[in-house]
Amino acid sequence: NISVNVFESKIPFSEFKVSEAGLIPVITQDYKTGEVLMLAYMNEEAYNRTVTEGRMTYYSRSRKCLWLKGESSGHYQYVKALYTDCDKDTLLAKVRQIGPACHTGNKSCFYTGLLNNEYKESDPYRILQSVYGVI
Amino acid sequence: NISVNVFESKIPFSEFKVSEAGLIPVITQDYKTGEVLMLAYMNEEAYNRTVTEGRMTYYSRSRKCLWLKGESSGHYQYVKALYTDCDKDTLLAKVRQIGPACHTGNKSCFYTGLLNNEYKESDPYRILQSVYGVI
């Protein structure tokens, strides 16, 4: 019961600046909350599949193959918007995330804080976000 | 008139998985709005300076030197929180961004949409965010 959008890309993959291995990093963000979920990589085929099928497909550097996110777990990422940056060497995807993004079961892969006195997210803005989550 | 926090890192840089060049990608996000501002890279010295000085310092791959973000423009990024991901090969920084993050004058480097029928951010949640921006 999920509406899948399929797209065309305004810019072909060949215009992106890729690594020697032909890969470009992709930041994946929850389209509603803005939470950064993960960073992964795409090659040209992964990019084209993502755009035409409307679900995030990456290139797995460890397994050296295409990786349709959610294929085994069911935790698909449906594409809502896709951006490149000013020098075309990074992508940003806004997605509807089904279930957790992280294989550990966390919503986001970035659950490990590094600092000992971090900013606590208790300001009114975050409270408004929490309120919206409930209503 | 900005309070600068200085930190200690719970995890030393040597525990991160870095590229052959000794670099790790860093996603930088506005700590209040959640907007993704840019992606850049750090080496060990850039990471340690960022943590101890409380301002984002990257390693410039093109200029091959440390790069205190804002040193020439004044558009500093003050560290609010820092995370690593589940496999410790990416960092996420939440920052207070002074001025635009992008050298083009855009707030974020990710201002180029790639799709022809993207999701429009007109839902109630975004409207609440805009309202908060005004009040």
Side-chain angles (χ1 to χ4, degrees):
Chain A
N1 193 25
I2 289 161
S3 67
V4 179
N5 297 314
V6 295
F7 305 98
E8 287 177 36
S9 178
K10 293 178 185 171
I11 299 180
F13 188 86
S14 57
E15 288 189 24
F16 299 139
K17 280 186 214 157
V18 298
S19 71
E20 283 182 20
L23 303 179
I24 188 167
V26 185
I27 304 164
T28 305
Q29 185 179 31
D30 184 292
Y31 84 112
K32 279 207 168 169
T33 66
E35 186 176 14
V36 173
L37 301 171
M38 56 187 282
L39 183 92
Y41 295 82
M42 287 185 181
N43 64 4
E44 180 161 10
E45 190 178 353
Y47 179 76
N48 290 336
R49 285 205 190 186
T50 295
V51 169
T52 57
E53 297 176 9
R55 293 189 296 195
M56 296 298 284
T57 293
Y58 303 101
Y59 179 81
S60 168
R61 295 179 303 167
S62 53
R63 289 181 281 128
K64 302 190 196 314
C65 62
L66 287 187
W67 163 34
L68 169 60
K69 173 74 180 167
E71 189 167 24
S72 56
S73 64
H75 299 154
Y76 295 105
Q77 297 174 327
Y78 293 91
V79 179
K80 291 292 187 179
L82 207 53
Y83 303 88
T84 190
D85 67 343
C86 50
D87 51 6
K88 296 203 186 92
D89 65 2
T90 308
L91 303 181
L92 171 67
K94 298 195 179 190
V95 304
R96 175 172 173 187
Q97 171 71 53
I98 307 302
C102 187
H103 72 285
T104 59
N106 288 280
K107 178 78 194 290
S108 159
C109 294
F110 295 95
Y111 55 84
T112 305
L114 290 169
L115 304 179
N116 52 356
N117 53 342
E118 283 177 336
Y119 166 77
K120 294 292 182 295
E121 292 181 345
S122 57
D123 64 300
Y125 181 78
R126 292 289 167 182
I127 291 168
L128 255 185
Q129 287 190 319
S130 303
V131 168
Y132 178 75
V134 174
I135 58 179
Chain B
N1 194 22
I2 289 162
S3 67
V4 179
N5 296 315
V6 295
F7 305 97
E8 286 177 37
S9 179
K10 293 177 186 171
I11 299 180
F13 189 85
S14 58
E15 289 189 24
F16 299 139
K17 280 185 214 157
V18 298
S19 71
E20 283 182 21
L23 303 179
I24 188 166
V26 185
I27 303 164
T28 305
Q29 185 179 31
D30 184 292
Y31 84 112
K32 278 208 170 170
T33 67
E35 186 176 14
V36 174
L37 300 171
M38 56 187 283
L39 182 92
Y41 295 82
M42 286 184 182
N43 63 5
E44 182 163 7
E45 190 178 354
Y47 178 77
N48 289 337
R49 284 205 191 186
T50 296
V51 169
T52 57
E53 298 177 8
R55 294 189 294 196
M56 297 298 284
T57 293
Y58 303 102
Y59 179 81
S60 169
R61 296 179 302 167
S62 54
R63 288 181 282 128
K64 301 188 196 314
C65 62
L66 287 189
W67 162 35
L68 169 60
K69 173 73 179 167
E71 189 166 23
S72 56
S73 65
H75 300 153
Y76 294 104
Q77 297 174 328
Y78 293 91
V79 178
K80 290 293 187 176
L82 207 52
Y83 303 88
T84 190
D85 66 344
C86 51
D87 50 5
K88 297 203 185 94
D89 66 1
T90 308
L91 303 180
L92 172 66
K94 299 197 179 191
V95 304
R96 176 173 172 184
Q97 172 70 54
I98 307 301
C102 187
H103 72 286
T104 59
N106 288 280
K107 177 77 192 289
S108 160
C109 293
F110 295 95
Y111 55 85
T112 306
L114 290 169
L115 304 179
N116 52 356
N117 54 343
E118 283 178 334
Y119 166 75
K120 293 293 182 296
E121 292 181 345
S122 57
D123 64 301
Y125 182 77
R126 291 290 168 183
I127 290 168
L128 257 184
Q129 287 191 319
S130 303
V131 168
Y132 177 75
V134 173
I135 58 180

